[in-house]
């Protein structure tokens, strides 16, 4: 996921020049090169690589879009659901990863009155991804590195701090964390706050006292593994994964004992069946057969350094007793060094949490040519597709296609583009599950620079920007990015703990005048219902409520609420820094509904943009020409906001 070539020289695009940062030997060497159009992702900081429906269809659909059929509209009657407990105790609100709240006090009629009621500085500048938790009368906040954990008392004026946990997190992790030193959140279970530290540890903290209960090392910085993802707790199991596809790690998922932190099982995402816990009696992939698919689809031994990290989100179906998660890119970036499908990178895997056994797997982007990680949210919903009920898994992929799968078997039911420019593939063949590739946009060292591939390697949606689903409206809501890229790879050599990449990928704007948007999507038909365009990439997660209001933030620092049926803007407020996190909602001790989110520009966009950090004189980068004015609207920050009526 970067502009990195040969000796691992990083190319930073500016309007008049490109900065080259040679990481072959320390210290960093900055030098200028002749002008080159476009821009790509720089992962350099100081001293190191661091850090639903549109107004009723009987009339018309706003924004010039065709509405769902009468049959689909009839199927959208609100289901009967249990009353919402008013809390937000896990990253995505529920095991289905819907980011949907049943609270109804905030509606399309009164959301214009939303205003800030409290704010707090975390004391950390950097990408504040993830989301707060609210359990009963306490809000929990996790920061980027150094991964401090705050607990705020919601019963008292000013929400004073109950306690603060400050872990000892190795600064060496900053150079390994490839997309800024972010953290994607915590999980509450059995009186404990569980979360990952950047340096490869998982911790359990007593939710009332802030005392550390256990701390377990799960990842190895020495081989390029770091831990930015939010864990999932299922029964007595803490499920965790590691980042590091850019370093050629041997990707895995692990389960820890909730009570003690003891390692219970490890399942690799690629490699031989024995390593993957893929057993002949239980592993039934929908489109493939045979033993050792995760090894035979690689050159000899290539899977050992093949990547397949897990840095996104995990969901769980209690009825099927399956966890679902996505894997990241294949390594190295030059696809000619790894002939074959390279299973199971860029895939969704379904496992039994009890023993880690693999039940099925589906690969969204075989033989990854473009760094199209599939680590984004896997949302579980019961839909009606073509008149038939479906236990669905819905996924918005970096590659630009929105997929509706049968979550029991892994077969693809619907797959259509959700952004205006997708040209790496023409379509997805539902019979085989494979993309129908566009020959002109295939990459490799022998092909030189391949121009104008859409979407860019950051994705049509960032996997760190999870979508939301309203069971009332049967609509999904997601951020999108409207960007393309040029792509040139070179041969890479593996050296443990160093980037294993070899790619130069300057970015270009997609069609139209906007670089991002927020959309409503009908996953039963594969159609966009409405779209709100944004001037910059959209890196925020989504939230939707039973009040039929959707929420998201923007890269230029706005927090917005919109009518979930039409996309009509209801309110907006400038929150001081760009939003790359995910809003939540909860019922406070006073019985009122509130919405909370982080403001803290960072993640990949923060590593691209210059002049957004006033305390870093070594940051000499100019921003890319397609987003050169972002620093006029935002700068780095670290704030928690709460809004109410």
């Amino acid at each position: 996921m970067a502009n990195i070539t040969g000796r691992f020289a990083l190319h930073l695009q500016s309007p008049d020049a490109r900065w080259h940062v040679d990481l072959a030997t320390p210290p960093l060497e900055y030098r200028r090169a002749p002008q080159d159009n476009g821009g790509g992702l720089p992962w350099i900081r100081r001293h190191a690589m661091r850090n639903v429906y549109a107004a009723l269809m009987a009339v018309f659909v706003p924004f010039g879009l065709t509405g769902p059929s009468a049959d689909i509209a009839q199927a959208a009657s609100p289901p009967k659901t249990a009353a919402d407990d008013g809390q937000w105790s896990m990253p995505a609100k529920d095991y289905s990863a819907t980011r949907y709240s049943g609270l109804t006090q905030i509606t399309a009629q009164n959301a214009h009155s939303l205003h800030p009621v409290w704010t707090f500085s975390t004391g950390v500048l950097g990408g504040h991804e993830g989301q707060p938790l609210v359990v009963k009368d306490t809000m929990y906040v996790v920061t980027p590195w150094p991964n401090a954990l705050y607990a705020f008392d919601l019963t008292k004026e000013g929400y004073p701090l109950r306690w603060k946990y400050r872990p000892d997190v190795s600064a060496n992790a900053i150079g390994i964390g490839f997309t800024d030193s972010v953290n994607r959140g915590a999980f509450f279970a059995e009186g404990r706050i569980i979360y990952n530290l950047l340096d490869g540890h998982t911790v359990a903290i007593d939710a009332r006292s802030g005392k550390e209960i256990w701390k377990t090392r799960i990842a190895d910085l020495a081989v390029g593994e770091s831990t930015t993802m939010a864990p999932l707790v299922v029964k007595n199991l803490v499920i965790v994964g590691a980042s590091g596809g850019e370093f050629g790690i041997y990707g895995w998922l692990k389960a820890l004992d909730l009570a003690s932190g003891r390692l219970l099982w490890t399942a690799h995402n690629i490699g031989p069946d024995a390593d993957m816990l893929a057993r002949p009696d239980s592993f039934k992939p929908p489109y493939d057969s045979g033993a050792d698919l995760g090894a035979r689809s690689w050159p000899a031994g290539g899977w050992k350094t093949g990547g397949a990290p897990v840095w996104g989100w995990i969901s769980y179906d209690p009825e099927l007793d399956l966890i679902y998660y996505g894997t990241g890119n294949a390594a190295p970036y030059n696809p000619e060094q790894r002939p074959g499908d390279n299973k199971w990178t860029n895939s969704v895997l379904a496992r039994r949490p009890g023993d880690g056994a693999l039940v099925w797997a589906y690969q969204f982007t075989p033989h990854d040519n473009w760094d199209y990680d599939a680590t984004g949210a896997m949302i579980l919903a019961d839909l009606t597709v073509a008149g038939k009920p479906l236990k669905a898994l819905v996924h918005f992929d970096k590659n630009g296609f929105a997929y509706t799968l049968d979550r029991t078997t892994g077969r693809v039911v619907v797959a259509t583009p959700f952004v205006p420019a997708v040209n790496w593939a023409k379509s997805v063949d539902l019979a085989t599950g494979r993309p129908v590739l566009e020959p002109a946009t295939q990459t490799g060292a022998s092909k030189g620079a391949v121009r104008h591939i859409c979407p860019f390697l950051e994705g049509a949606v960032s996997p760190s920007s999870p979508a939301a689903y309203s069971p009332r409206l049967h609509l999904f809501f997601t951020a999108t990015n409207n960007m393309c890229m040029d792509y040139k790879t070179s041969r890479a050599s593996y050296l443990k703990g160093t980037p294993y990449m070899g790619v130069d990928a300057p970015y270009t704007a997609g069609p139209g005048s906007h670089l991002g948007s927020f959309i409503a999507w009908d996953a039963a038909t594969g159609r966009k219902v409405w779209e709100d365009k944004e001037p910059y990439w959209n890196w925020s997660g989504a939230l939707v409520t039973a009040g039929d209001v959707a929420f998201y933030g923007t890269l230029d620092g706005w927090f917005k609420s919109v009518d979930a049926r039409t996309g009509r803007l209801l309110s907006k407020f400038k929150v001081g820094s760009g939003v790359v996190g995910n809003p939540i909602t909860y019922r406070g001790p006073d019985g009122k509904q509130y919405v909370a989110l982080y403001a803290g520009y960072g993640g990949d966009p923060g590593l691209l943009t210059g002049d957004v950090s006033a305390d870093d004189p070594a940051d000499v980068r100019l921003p890319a020409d397609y987003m050169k004015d972002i620093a006029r609207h935002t700068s780095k920050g670290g704030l928690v906001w709460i809004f109410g009526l």
Side-chain angles (χ1 to χ4, degrees), residues 506-550:
Y507 304 158
T508 57
S513 59
H514 67 293
L515 301 184
S517 67
F518 187 74
I519 68 170
W521 184 262
D522 181 354
T525 61
R527 288 189 294 178
K528 183 164 56 181
V529 176
W530 54 255
E531 177 178 24
D532 290 341
K533 296 179 179 179
E534 294 290 343
Y536 303 105
W537 306 356
N538 197 340
W539 218 259
S540 166
L543 164 68
V544 66
T545 71
D548 293 340
V549 180

Side-chain angles (χ1 to χ4, degrees), residues 164-486:
K164 180 180 180 180
Y165 169 68
R166 300 186 67 171
D168 180 15
V169 187
S170 172
N172 292 332
I174 299 172
I176 300 297
F178 230 69
T179 53
D180 198 1
S181 52
V182 300
N183 185 284
R184 297 189 175 94
F187 197 110
F188 173 85
E190 301 296 329
R192 303 170 182 204
I193 301 295
I194 315 294
Y195 73 109
N196 291 319
L197 309 180
L198 186 64
D199 66 356
H201 291 85
T202 303
V203 294
I205 309 302
D206 184 278
R208 297 308 295 179
S209 69
K211 294 182 179 179
E212 182 179 291
I213 300 172
W214 55 256
K215 180 178 181 180
T216 301
R217 179 184 172 186
I218 59 169
D220 185 358
L221 287 178
V223 299
E225 296 175 346
S226 60
T227 38
T228 60
M229 57 92 72
L232 186 81
V233 178
V234 175
K235 301 175 183 176
N236 67 326
L237 304 168
V238 178
I239 311 297
V240 290
S243 308
E246 295 82 9
F247 291 82
I249 69 168
Y250 184 21
W252 47 261
L253 195 75
K254 295 181 180 180
L256 309 178
D257 177 63
L258 175 61
S260 65
R262 179 172 57 91
L263 177 65
L264 299 178
W265 54 255
T266 299
H268 286 277
N269 304 316
I270 52 181
D273 286 351
D275 289 6
M276 293 190 64
L277 306 187
R279 297 154 188 154
D281 60 334
S282 58
F283 181 42
K284 308 294 180 184
Y287 301 103
D288 304 275
S289 61
D292 293 324
L293 292 169
R296 290 192 293 107
S297 57
W298 293 82
W303 47 270
K304 296 178 181 178
T305 55
V310 181
W311 51 269
W313 314 94
I314 309 175
S315 49
Y316 174 60
D317 184 330
E319 181 180 351
L320 297 176
D321 193 29
L322 291 176
I323 55 173
Y324 305 89
Y325 66 98
T327 60
N329 64 286
Y333 279 38
N334 175 19
E336 294 174 351
Q337 289 182 239
R338 43 178 174 80
D341 280 353
N342 310 140
K343 299 182 184 301
W344 296 93
T345 60
N346 309 78
S347 301
V348 53
L349 281 68
R351 295 187 182 275
R352 291 199 302 253
D355 60 2
L358 188 61
V359 174
W360 60 258
Y362 168 71
Q363 191 171 41
F364 298 104
T365 310
H367 189 55
D368 181 16
N369 274 234
W370 313 272
D371 185 31
Y372 287 158
D373 304 71
T375 52
M378 307 292 168
I379 302 176
L380 313 184
D382 294 338
L383 304 178
T384 299
V385 180
K388 298 180 180 179
L390 177 70
K391 289 183 177 296
L393 180 154
V394 175
H395 172 71
F396 296 88
D397 200 77
K398 279 179 73 174
N399 69 21
F401 285 89
Y403 295 81
T404 303
L405 276 63
D406 182 328
R407 69 176 182 265
T408 303
T409 65
R411 294 195 69 86
V412 182
V413 179
V414 180
T416 55
F418 63 94
V419 288
V422 176
N423 65 11
W424 69 275
K426 301 174 183 178
S427 62
V428 175
D429 186 333
L430 299 184
T432 65
R434 298 184 68 87
V436 180
L437 298 176
E438 174 56 65
T441 52
Q442 305 310 294
T443 71
S446 67
K447 300 180 185 296
V450 182
R451 306 295 183 187
H452 196 65
I453 300 172
C454 309
F456 70 156
L457 60 76
E458 299 288 358
V461 59
S462 167
S464 62
S465 308
Y469 169 64
S470 170
R472 283 177 47 82
L473 304 177
H474 294 262
L475 291 179
F476 295 78
F477 304 87
T478 188
T480 75
N481 299 313
N482 178 31
M483 295 289 297
C484 303
M485 65 179 173
D486 298 338

Side-chain angles (χ1 to χ4, degrees), residues 100-117:
Y100 168 82
S101 169
L103 299 181
T104 58
Q105 288 184 12
I106 299 172
T107 68
Q109 289 69 46
N110 63 24
H112 65 275
S113 298
L114 280 170
H115 61 278
V117 299

